[in-house]
């Protein structure tokens, strides 16, 4: 059995992001939402995600911005975020293992939970 290495470089982050979003794009539930929203802007989105994860995992100030607002109006609910996390975890677990990998999964889970609750809150407030 192959021993998986941890996420340690920007190349690892690019591999993680590219393979994750490759799986997202093919998913029957969340793929159409991402593909409709991003259309031909996948490349800038992926670059933004490389920077985001580099900032989160390596404490390198590559990303600045607020990630929630672009997601606020998406037609998603908890089911979509649960699928997002399932795809994220299975994608990352097939490629990496170690403390930084676990940190990435924890951060993604926390972000999905927060986004899901904030979207629900704004919907309930009519905002």
């Amino acid at each position: 059995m192959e021993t998986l290495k941890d996420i340690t470089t920007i190349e690892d982050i690019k591999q993680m992001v590219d393979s994750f979003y490759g799986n997202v794009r093919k998913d029957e539930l969340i793929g159409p939402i991402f593909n409709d929203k991003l259309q031909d802007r996948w490349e800038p989105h992926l670059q933004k995600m490389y920077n985001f994860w580099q900032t989160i995992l390596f404490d390198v100030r590559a990303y600045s911005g607020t990630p929630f607002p672009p997601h606020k109006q998406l037609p998603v609910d908890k089911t979509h975020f649960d699928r997002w996390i399932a795809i994220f975890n299975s994608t990352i677990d097939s490629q990496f293992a170690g403390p930084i990998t676990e940190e990435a999964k924890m951060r993604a889970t926390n972000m999905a939970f927060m986004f899901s609750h904030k979207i629900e809150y704004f919907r309930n407030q009519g905002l």
Side-chain angles (χ1 to χ4, degrees):
M1 184 172 148
E2 177 186 351
T3 302
L4 300 176
K5 71 179 209 77
D6 205 358
I7 300 167
T8 58
T9 66
I10 185 62
E11 288 76 24
D12 294 338
I13 286 176
K14 288 179 179 180
Q15 177 183 332
M16 175 189 80
V17 167
D18 289 346
S19 58
F20 168 65
Y21 282 105
N23 290 333
V24 163
R25 292 172 87 167
K26 295 182 285 188
D27 185 75
E28 292 179 10
L29 179 65
I30 65 175
I33 295 166
F34 276 86
N35 290 320
D36 183 55
K37 179 71 174 174
L38 292 171
Q39 296 178 7
D40 63 348
R41 297 182 312 277
W42 272 100
E43 197 54 46
H45 179 71
L46 294 174
Q47 186 61 53
K48 193 179 292 186
M49 293 299 94
Y50 306 150
N51 294 343
F52 176 81
W53 284 107
Q54 188 177 14
T55 299
I56 295 294
L57 298 178
F58 299 157
D59 200 28
V60 172
R61 298 293 165 225
Y63 174 84
S64 63
T66 50
F68 179 70
H71 300 85
K72 183 178 167 184
Q73 300 300 326
L74 292 177
V76 294
D77 59 26
K78 184 179 180 313
T79 305
H80 297 92
F81 284 103
D82 289 347
R83 178 72 62 87
W84 187 90
I85 286 299
I87 295 169
F88 187 87
N89 287 342
S90 66
T91 301
I92 199 170
D93 284 342
S94 71
Q95 301 173 63
F96 301 101
I100 298 171
T101 301
E102 293 305 312
E103 175 80 8
K105 293 183 338 186
M106 187 264 308
R107 295 286 192 121
T109 299
N110 290 346
M111 193 174 8
F113 179 81
M114 181 194 63
F115 278 25
S116 178
H117 282 278
K118 283 180 82 170
I119 287 170
E120 194 63 32
Y121 172 79
F122 283 116
R123 281 194 190 131
N124 290 339
Q125 299 301 314
L127 302 174

